[in-house]
Amino acid sequence: MASSLRGEVVKLYKNLLYLGREYPKGADYFRSRLKAAFLKNKDEKDPEKIKQLIARGEFVIKELEALYFLRKYRAMKQRYYSDDNQ
């Protein structure tokens, strides 16, 4: 069971690292915070606790995606609509 959870954790880390490239404060800031968050929980052995942490990471992925979509939407809206229509 631990090996399957390890694979999920590595996959989660890679996905977050990929999403962090466009983070507003910069990729280096995001990478350092991500590494600190994962290192803080590196000694966790309880499978249920690990699953909870993975679920929290997946929630963060959804929040980041929403942030990026909103930023792109605002840029597109600003590009094509004048301030008079708002």
Side-chain angles (χ1 to χ4, degrees):
M1 178 185 260
S3 63
S4 65
L5 289 177
R6 179 178 170 81
E8 287 184 47
V9 171
V10 170
K11 180 180 168 187
L12 177 67
Y13 186 82
K14 286 182 179 181
N15 286 340
L16 284 166
L17 198 60
Y18 178 77
L19 286 173
R21 295 182 311 154
E22 296 181 34
Y23 195 70
K25 289 189 176 182
D28 292 332
Y29 173 82
F30 187 86
R31 189 180 311 115
S32 65
R33 298 283 306 262
L34 178 65
K35 185 175 180 178
F38 272 76
L39 286 177
K40 183 176 78 172
N41 296 307
K42 73 175 186 172
D43 295 326
E44 189 63 51
K45 301 291 185 210
D46 183 26
E48 292 302 317
K49 178 69 174 170
I50 295 172
K51 288 178 185 177
Q52 288 175 349
L53 292 168
I54 290 171
R56 184 174 179 201
E58 289 170 352
F59 175 77
V60 169
I61 286 176
K62 290 177 186 175
E63 290 292 315
L64 283 171
E65 288 174 343
L67 173 74
Y68 296 156
F69 286 135
L70 182 61
R71 188 174 68 184
K72 288 178 183 178
Y73 169 77
R74 285 181 177 163
M76 195 74 102
K77 185 176 178 184
Q78 188 177 36
R79 202 175 285 150
Y80 292 107
Y81 297 105
S82 66
D83 291 334
D84 299 337
N85 294 340
Q86 294 179 1

